[in-house]
Amino acid sequence: DGWDVEEDGLEDGGQAEEDNGWDVEDDLEVQGEDGEGEGDAPLKEEMNNLNLEDKKLDDSVSEEEEEEVKDDRSPSEIMDELLISAFLQTWKTTGKKIEFPILTSNFFRLHMVKNAPPGSNLDPKKSSFKKLSKFLAGMEKRGVIKVKELQKGVESIMSVDLGHEDIRSFRTIKYEKVEEEETQTEQKLPCDKDYEPPKISELRMVNANVLKFFSIFNISKGHGLTSSGVREYIVKYVKDNNLQETASNKSLVKLDPILADIVLGKGENNVLEMKWDEITQRVQNKMSDGYALQFPGQPPSFHKGKLDPIELTTATRSGNKKITLIYNLETYGIDPAEFAHKCQVGVAASTSVNPAVNRKAGSEVMVQGNQISFATRALLETYKIPRKYIKATEPAPKKKKK
């Protein structure tokens, strides 16, 4: 490391002593005896500076050697370790105060990401698990947590075993807050951002009633299309088969056997042509309901049936006390516990989260008092949920007995 004093001295033609080669101090003394003693101090200072530079050189070489140490792990193995470390660190830190059930997506966003090393991009897609659900399923298999699908396509963590060996044996890693804040300022990951509502698309699903028509375009049963998408295929079909009236009325379309089979009802066998809008509407009416939800940074998920709105209603409990009940928050990616806390702080009332009663799945958020106004405003302004997907109802007041 650095330059070799002994070799340097020999290359310059100097005599190397048997014990330690060229002696810097002896050389300085000789120069002094030759009448250059006044330069001793500057020379010594220069040599000291040289020694410091040499030390810096040695340090830089060591740093270079450290950087040259290669990590033999594959990118997926590195991400696996980051996920596991962040998962276990969560249960030793912020996860101790989690209220169950908690949406798996919110658990990842609010806890795992924050317990990962500063500057690391925690991404399950880059791991061997490929999906967060598969990673958490592995943790459930080990007995660390319990996961349940409370609502179709929406999973929640129901409980954790804080006494599990994996958690007990894990040593908490302390990260410097300053570095973490700087990292977050430099690069804010999608999962670090505040809640963003999903993109909602209402669809018409291809079923047996219209399959003969859409199979012409290689569209299979169960495929979802928007209303404009349905219209586009109808326009293409009409033009490809020259079914548009051109002489008398361009707004009319001649019905061939395939279109007639879909759009004509009983007693309409004598109908030979129909307006564009009427054909489009009748084709859509023959299709099934469906919808797609696309959360930021995720591919869209397709579902059959109508999208259930977020329901807000009031009820009366013992002591004639009114309460507000809120359902279907999970469908829109809203953490019920987080929403309950927001209500608790906003209206200074007690709240609770429980499995929804008399429903197939999902949670029920209960807030003391009639808080429909506050909850509705929070959904519209804070969570940006479109009003058409918020259903607020209050039971009609009971008539007094005469």
Side-chain angles (χ1 to χ4, degrees):
D1 296 331
W3 45 269
D4 192 310
V5 175
E6 185 173 351
E7 290 180 3
D8 191 90
L10 289 173
E11 287 174 1
D12 291 340
Q15 279 188 321
E17 295 185 10
E18 294 180 359
D19 52 352
N20 60 354
W22 180 39
D23 193 312
V24 174
E25 291 184 4
D26 289 348
D27 189 78
L28 290 173
E29 289 174 4
V30 170
Q31 291 180 18
E33 290 172 1
D34 291 340
E36 297 181 4
E38 294 177 0
D40 284 0
L43 281 172
K44 285 183 179 180
E45 184 177 349
E46 184 178 343
M47 293 309 298
N48 287 335
N49 291 337
L50 182 60
N51 290 336
L52 288 172
E53 293 297 325
D54 189 32
K55 184 178 184 303
K56 289 179 181 178
L57 180 62
D58 290 340
D59 291 341
S60 65
V61 171
S62 299
E63 289 175 2
E64 288 175 2
E65 288 176 351
E66 288 178 3
E67 289 177 0
E68 289 176 0
V69 177
K70 294 183 178 180
D71 193 338
D72 294 331
R73 297 174 300 169
S74 66
S76 63
E77 288 174 335
I78 294 173
M79 187 56 66
D80 286 354
E81 291 189 18
L82 283 174
L83 285 172
I84 294 169
S85 176
F87 174 81
L88 295 174
Q89 173 111 342
T90 292
W91 299 118
K92 299 287 279 259
T93 54
T94 60
K96 290 181 178 180
K97 296 181 179 180
I98 286 178
E99 292 185 15
F100 298 104
I102 180 172
L103 291 174
T104 56
S105 57
N106 285 333
F107 171 76
F108 179 80
R109 177 174 62 90
L110 299 173
H111 297 280
M112 283 185 65
V113 170
K114 293 181 180 180
N115 282 286
S120 60
N121 185 353
L122 209 61
D123 189 352
K125 293 179 183 177
K126 295 180 181 178
S127 71
S128 63
F129 301 97
K130 301 302 179 186
K131 292 182 179 180
L132 176 64
S133 58
K134 288 187 177 180
F135 169 75
L136 294 177
M139 296 299 104
E140 182 177 32
K141 192 174 181 180
R142 291 184 64 81
V144 183
I145 56 173
K146 287 186 178 179
V147 180
K148 187 177 180 181
E149 190 179 55
L150 292 179
Q151 208 153 357
K152 190 175 181 181
V154 182
E155 291 186 336
S156 298
I157 297 176
M158 306 301 295
S159 63
V160 61
D161 180 8
L162 294 176
H164 193 280
E165 178 62 23
D166 290 353
I167 297 177
R168 287 195 299 109
S169 61
F170 180 78
R171 294 184 64 182
T172 305
I173 305 169
K174 292 184 179 180
Y175 302 118
E176 293 185 17
K177 292 183 179 179
V178 176
E179 293 180 4
E180 184 177 2
E181 289 172 1
E182 289 177 354
T183 303
Q184 289 179 350
T185 302
E186 292 171 3
Q187 182 183 12
K188 196 170 185 182
L189 304 175
C191 45
D192 289 331
K193 295 179 182 178
D194 295 331
Y195 170 86
E196 291 184 37
K199 180 182 177 183
I200 303 170
S201 301
E202 295 184 351
L203 305 175
R204 306 307 298 162
M205 311 297 285
V206 175
N207 54 22
N209 297 329
V210 295
L211 181 58
K212 190 174 181 180
F213 172 78
F214 285 105
S215 61
I216 297 171
F217 304 101
N218 295 318
I219 297 177
S220 58
K221 186 178 179 180
H223 188 86
L225 295 168
T226 60
S227 296
S228 60
V230 173
R231 181 176 177 81
E232 285 176 10
Y233 282 113
I234 294 173
V235 170
K236 181 174 174 55
Y237 180 80
V238 170
K239 289 184 176 180
D240 289 348
N241 293 275
N242 297 316
L243 298 177
Q244 185 176 16
E245 289 281 3
T246 56
S248 57
N249 193 344
K250 291 184 178 181
S251 65
L252 293 175
V253 174
K254 291 181 286 186
L255 299 179
D256 69 350
I258 292 179
L259 283 178
D261 185 53
I262 298 174
V263 302
L264 295 182
K266 292 181 179 180
E268 293 182 330
N269 294 335
N270 59 336
V271 177
L272 302 177
E273 54 189 21
M274 190 174 288
K275 288 187 176 182
W276 279 103
D277 292 342
E278 185 69 18
I279 290 175
T280 303
Q281 189 60 51
R282 291 196 180 195
V283 170
Q284 290 189 32
N285 289 343
K286 287 291 185 76
M287 302 173 76
S288 307
D289 293 322
Y291 62 92
L293 294 175
Q294 183 173 13
F295 291 91
Q298 299 181 25
S301 58
F302 297 90
H303 308 270
K304 293 180 180 180
K306 288 187 176 181
L307 175 60
D308 292 327
I310 296 175
E311 292 184 38
L312 302 94
T313 185
T314 58
T316 304
R317 291 290 186 262
S318 57
N320 202 29
K321 292 181 179 180
K322 236 178 188 179
I323 60 171
T324 301
L325 301 173
I326 305 159
Y327 303 96
N328 300 329
L329 290 170
E330 295 99 328
T331 301
Y332 298 82
I334 300 174
D335 184 359
E338 188 179 282
F339 189 81
H341 178 68
K342 188 176 290 292
C343 291
Q344 181 184 31
V345 174
V347 297
S350 62
T351 61
S352 65
V353 180
N354 299 292
V357 181
N358 299 326
R359 292 172 182 256
K360 293 181 180 179
S363 300
E364 172 190 88
V365 173
M366 186 278 290
V367 188
Q368 275 194 346
N370 185 346
Q371 311 300 346
I372 284 184
S373 178
F374 175 84
T376 301
R377 189 168 63 253
L379 291 169
L380 289 170
E381 298 176 2
T382 304
Y383 293 91
K384 308 298 181 185
I385 302 298
R387 184 175 289 276
K388 66 181 293 186
Y389 299 113
I390 301 173
K391 181 182 177 183
T393 59
E394 282 194 68
K398 294 181 179 179
K399 293 182 179 180
K400 293 181 181 181
K401 295 181 180 179
K402 294 182 180 179

